[in-house]
Amino acid sequence: MEVMFLGTGAGSPSKTRNTQSMILDLRQEIQELWMMDCGEGCQHQILNTSYTLGKVKRIFITHLHGDHIFGLFGAISSRSFQGGEGSKLFIYGPIGIKKLVDNVLKITGTHLNYPIEIVEVNENDEFNINRFVVKVKPLQHTIKSFGYIICQEEQLGSIKVDALKNIGLKPGPLYKEIKTNNEFTHNGKTYLSKDFMTDSKKGINIAVLGDTMYFDDLITTLRECDIIIMECTYLEGDYATARKYGHIHLNDIRMIQSECQMSACILTHLSNRYNNYDLQRIINDSISTLPYKTYLASDFKKFKFINHK
Amino acid sequence: MEVMFLGTGAGSPSKTRNTQSMILDLRQEIQELWMMDCGEGCQHQILNTSYTLGKVKRIFITHLHGDHIFGLFGAISSRSFQGGEGSKLFIYGPIGIKKLVDNVLKITGTHLNYPIEIVEVNENDEFNINRFVVKVKPLQHTIKSFGYIICQEEQLGSIKVDALKNIGLKPGPLYKEIKTNNEFTHNGKTYLSKDFMTDSKKGINIAVLGDTMYFDDLITTLRECDIIIMECTYLEGDYATARKYGHIHLNDIRMIQSECQMSACILTHLSNRYNNYDLQRIINDSISTLPYKTYLASDFKKFKFINHK
């Protein structure tokens, strides 16, 4: 389970940060690539990665602001020529996205050579996608904005081969049955499967949030998450300004981390006002003092999530 | 009078060519910057030039295909933050562009801090813009596509100061009158203004064409043009394929140049199939044998047009 950021800036692109987009690479788990948001130029960014648009199976849009969606039209259009032919694409986003995409494709005479299904989401919707559940959570921004909580199914433990050999059971078809059934029979004796398997592991839950200001229910949403990927447009400065524009301030991140346990927190959608010198100073002075491991995203930075539980 | 190309590829962006856009710099003539087409990522390209979106006064869209327009929404949105505040923007394009832009801005909650006027153009429309006339000419493509013929007004000659001094007239307010009137009176004698001015110069006419296949009337359109900037998606290969997709083949360029006189021809919208090695070969083998100076555009290449007539 990996993410690569394709755009990590806020509002407009800068020379160093594109507008919002990331790839969630679930190929190891379910052979799917997902894209979270699709700011203008995200198809340009992908050209500099090992991913191709044709392999993207699902695109989740957190909200309809341009810096999160103006790349969608070009990306789905180019997908036709990047291995997407005949391969269905699912697009999830707030109400309005279907009309938006349909209108743009129609007026610009854009023909896709693959089917698309546009799913308009509502708060608290849940989508079962293979071995994941995606939960749609409401945020508070200047327009309707959502967080997607991507919950991996519990990961079954693995077979204790030595223990099975001790009861005279060598690797074979029965091993699969042990994994799926609670008990199994061997040489006329019944065994509990769990005695021959390592403990199952809770899956990883990843929160990918759209733009939002802090609000109390956010804590409830984030409490179940191991990895929190969220905007932090305002890394310093006046807190009231952040709230006025419906964005997160680093003070909010500190508050969230005092209430929620997490493995890591990745901050993106950083205001273009911060140059590299500012960011390093903020990391040294503030980010490094947060309770949990907290990273600032940058374009093309990749994070790999490993389940240690 | 200069142009800088912001995007010179066809269809989808590549690592070396963005989708279509160019800046027409008329600041020396009429203190205006124009943008011709606005493919996705053109606002990213502008960040690497000395231009800013806020200074762009008019955007002309040749046709509504995505590789010519998907950057428009982001560009006009970011213009608010790049010196555009309060500065009116004119957008010209085929019928449908107003609905497209209005819908996208509305659904994405995009608020501009400056007024826009969207002008839907029809074939043979003419717009008088300061000392230029922009003529809208029909092309033949898979959707409605236009060429914009940008015609500079005749350039008045300059005052022959020495000749005026010879009749005893020193520099002063009368000089302005000589430039604007056919005759003038000095010491009771009437003179013809033209005897005291260098010859006027015909203005430069620049054709900027959208996607098109060759058709006979194209010759009529291009006959009055000094600089022809046009697509040439197919620089070699099967001619029928170019026509099938409604595009120009280099054979068409040769035919046009056999029928029209021009100062220079600049080819853009080049298919991504050609790498730099191909292009150099095609320049050596074909482009260099064309009747008129012909250039292949590339991103950030700038051309300056000087009136020698």
Side-chain angles (χ1 to χ4, degrees):
Chain A
M1 208 185 289
E2 290 180 0
V3 297
M4 182 193 266
F5 288 88
L6 300 175
T8 56
S12 296
S14 73
K15 283 188 185 178
T16 52
R17 291 182 190 274
N18 199 34
T19 46
Q20 288 295 295
S21 183
M22 53 175 262
I23 291 287
L24 178 58
D25 186 345
L26 300 176
R27 285 179 297 182
Q28 278 217 338
E29 292 75 19
I30 57 170
Q31 293 86 48
E32 290 196 11
L33 277 188
W34 296 0
M35 181 183 279
M36 315 304 292
D37 280 331
C38 192
E40 181 181 354
C42 106
Q43 66 161 322
H44 300 62
Q45 298 288 83
I46 265 198
L47 293 174
N48 296 305
T49 72
S50 61
Y51 307 118
T52 56
L53 286 168
K55 300 285 183 197
V56 174
K57 182 83 183 160
R58 299 170 202 276
I59 300 178
F60 294 83
I61 302 293
T62 59
H63 65 299
L64 299 181
H65 273 162
D67 57 331
H68 296 250
I69 200 172
F70 281 162
L72 184 63
F73 319 122
I76 65 177
S77 171
S78 294
R79 188 176 181 273
S80 291
F81 312 106
Q82 288 186 30
E85 186 166 359
S87 158
K88 185 169 180 178
L89 176 72
F90 295 84
I91 301 173
Y92 306 80
I95 288 169
I97 192 170
K98 187 163 164 46
K99 186 178 168 194
L100 176 68
V101 173
D102 287 349
N103 274 350
V104 170
L105 295 185
K106 187 178 168 198
I107 299 180
T108 62
T110 305
H111 301 290
L112 308 179
N113 61 14
Y114 58 86
I116 56 172
E117 183 173 332
I118 302 178
V119 182
E120 295 194 323
V121 305
N122 290 290
E123 56 190 63
N124 301 317
D125 277 354
E126 293 195 6
F127 299 95
N128 288 287
I129 300 171
N130 210 323
R131 301 203 303 276
F132 286 84
V133 179
V134 178
K135 301 178 181 176
V136 181
K137 295 294 176 182
L139 301 175
Q140 287 192 9
H141 189 47
T142 54
I143 59 170
K144 180 77 87 179
S145 181
F146 292 114
Y148 293 105
I149 314 298
I150 299 147
C151 304
Q152 188 183 27
E153 207 177 61
E154 189 179 63
Q155 303 292 289
L156 274 185
S158 49
I159 297 280
K160 291 178 181 171
V161 177
D162 286 345
L164 285 167
K165 280 181 180 165
N166 284 344
I167 59 163
L169 187 56
K170 291 181 186 160
L174 197 58
Y175 274 40
K176 195 178 172 190
E177 205 178 297
I178 295 168
K179 277 195 122 175
T180 47
N181 296 347
N182 289 333
E183 49 184 46
F184 64 97
T185 304
H186 172 60
N187 284 344
K189 193 175 169 190
T190 297
Y191 298 90
L192 289 176
S193 296
K194 72 179 176 57
D195 293 338
F196 296 88
M197 290 182 66
T198 62
D199 290 344
S200 62
K201 291 178 181 177
K202 181 185 161 298
I204 299 178
N205 292 353
I206 304 178
V208 179
L209 305 191
D211 290 6
T212 188
M213 67 171 76
Y214 177 81
F215 60 106
D216 289 341
D217 278 353
L218 192 54
I219 298 292
T220 316
T221 293
L222 296 179
R223 212 161 247 151
E224 60 171 331
C225 300
D226 305 293
I227 307 292
I228 297 175
I229 301 172
M230 65 185 292
E231 72 129 308
C232 189
T233 313
Y234 293 84
L235 291 168
E236 58 184 8
D238 182 33
Y239 184 74
T241 308
R243 288 197 74 77
K244 180 179 166 193
Y245 292 108
H247 286 297
I248 290 287
H249 187 286
L250 193 57
N251 293 355
D252 297 319
I253 301 295
R254 193 173 294 279
M255 179 153 45
I256 290 164
Q257 292 198 3
S258 72
E259 296 286 333
C260 305
Q261 287 192 315
M262 64 195 74
S263 296
C265 180
I266 306 172
L267 305 179
T268 182
H269 199 274
L270 309 180
S271 166
N272 288 332
R273 78 191 61 189
Y274 307 118
N275 62 30
N276 284 341
Y277 174 81
D278 295 329
L279 293 177
Q280 195 52 56
R281 175 177 49 74
I282 292 164
I283 289 170
N284 295 344
D285 295 353
S286 309
I287 307 275
S288 63
T289 69
L290 288 167
Y292 293 99
K293 274 186 192 161
T294 304
Y295 304 90
L296 297 185
S298 59
D299 289 18
F300 301 115
K301 203 183 248 188
K302 198 185 249 190
F303 294 85
K304 189 165 189 163
F305 307 127
I306 297 164
N307 195 343
H308 292 297
K309 281 176 189 166
Chain B
M1 206 185 288
E2 290 180 358
V3 297
M4 182 193 265
F5 288 88
L6 299 176
T8 58
S12 296
S14 73
K15 281 188 186 179
T16 52
R17 291 182 189 272
N18 198 34
T19 47
Q20 289 294 297
S21 183
M22 52 175 262
I23 291 287
L24 178 58
D25 186 345
L26 301 176
R27 284 179 297 181
Q28 277 218 336
E29 292 75 19
I30 57 170
Q31 293 86 47
E32 290 195 11
L33 276 189
W34 296 359
M35 182 182 280
M36 314 303 293
D37 279 330
C38 192
E40 182 182 355
C42 106
Q43 67 161 322
H44 300 62
Q45 298 288 83
I46 264 197
L47 294 174
N48 296 305
T49 71
S50 60
Y51 306 118
T52 56
L53 286 168
K55 300 285 183 198
V56 173
K57 180 83 182 159
R58 298 170 203 276
I59 301 178
F60 293 83
I61 301 294
T62 60
H63 65 298
L64 299 182
H65 273 163
D67 57 330
H68 295 251
I69 200 172
F70 282 163
L72 184 63
F73 319 122
I76 64 178
S77 170
S78 293
R79 188 176 182 273
S80 292
F81 312 106
Q82 289 186 31
E85 187 167 0
S87 159
K88 185 169 179 177
L89 175 72
F90 295 84
I91 301 173
Y92 305 80
I95 289 169
I97 192 171
K98 185 163 165 45
K99 186 178 167 194
L100 177 67
V101 173
D102 287 350
N103 274 350
V104 170
L105 295 186
K106 187 177 168 199
I107 299 180
T108 62
T110 305
H111 302 290
L112 308 179
N113 61 13
Y114 57 87
I116 55 171
E117 182 173 333
I118 302 178
V119 182
E120 295 195 321
V121 305
N122 290 291
E123 56 189 63
N124 301 318
D125 277 354
E126 292 195 9
F127 299 95
N128 288 287
I129 300 171
N130 209 322
R131 301 203 303 276
F132 286 84
V133 178
V134 177
K135 301 178 181 176
V136 181
K137 295 293 177 183
L139 301 175
Q140 287 192 9
H141 189 47
T142 54
I143 59 169
K144 181 77 88 179
S145 181
F146 292 115
Y148 293 105
I149 315 298
I150 299 147
C151 305
Q152 189 183 25
E153 207 177 59
E154 188 180 66
Q155 302 293 288
L156 274 184
S158 49
I159 298 280
K160 292 177 179 171
V161 176
D162 287 344
L164 286 167
K165 279 182 180 165
N166 284 343
I167 59 164
L169 187 57
K170 290 182 186 164
L174 197 58
Y175 272 42
K176 196 179 171 188
E177 205 176 298
I178 294 168
K179 278 195 121 176
T180 48
N181 296 348
N182 288 333
E183 50 184 45
F184 65 96
T185 303
H186 172 60
N187 283 345
K189 195 174 168 187
T190 297
Y191 297 90
L192 290 175
S193 296
K194 73 179 176 57
D195 293 338
F196 296 88
M197 289 183 67
T198 61
D199 290 342
S200 61
K201 291 178 182 177
K202 181 186 161 296
I204 299 177
N205 291 353
I206 304 178
V208 179
L209 305 191
D211 290 5
T212 188
M213 67 171 75
Y214 177 82
F215 61 104
D216 290 340
D217 278 353
L218 192 54
I219 298 292
T220 317
T221 294
L222 296 179
R223 213 161 246 151
E224 61 171 330
C225 300
D226 305 293
I227 307 291
I228 297 175
I229 302 172
M230 65 186 291
E231 72 129 306
C232 189
T233 314
Y234 293 85
L235 290 168
E236 58 184 8
D238 183 33
Y239 184 74
T241 308
R243 286 197 75 76
K244 180 180 165 193
Y245 293 108
H247 286 297
I248 290 288
H249 188 286
L250 193 58
N251 293 354
D252 298 318
I253 301 293
R254 193 173 293 279
M255 179 153 47
I256 290 165
Q257 292 199 3
S258 72
E259 296 285 333
C260 306
Q261 287 190 315
M262 63 196 73
S263 296
C265 180
I266 306 172
L267 305 179
T268 183
H269 201 274
L270 309 180
S271 166
N272 289 332
R273 77 191 62 189
Y274 307 118
N275 61 30
N276 284 341
Y277 174 81
D278 296 328
L279 293 177
Q280 195 53 56
R281 177 177 50 73
I282 293 165
I283 289 170
N284 296 342
D285 294 353
S286 310
I287 307 275
S288 63
T289 68
L290 288 168
Y292 293 98
K293 274 186 191 161
T294 304
Y295 304 90
L296 297 186
S298 58
D299 289 19
F300 301 114
K301 202 183 248 186
K302 197 186 247 191
F303 294 85
K304 188 165 189 163
F305 307 127
I306 298 165
N307 196 341
H308 293 297
K309 282 175 186 163

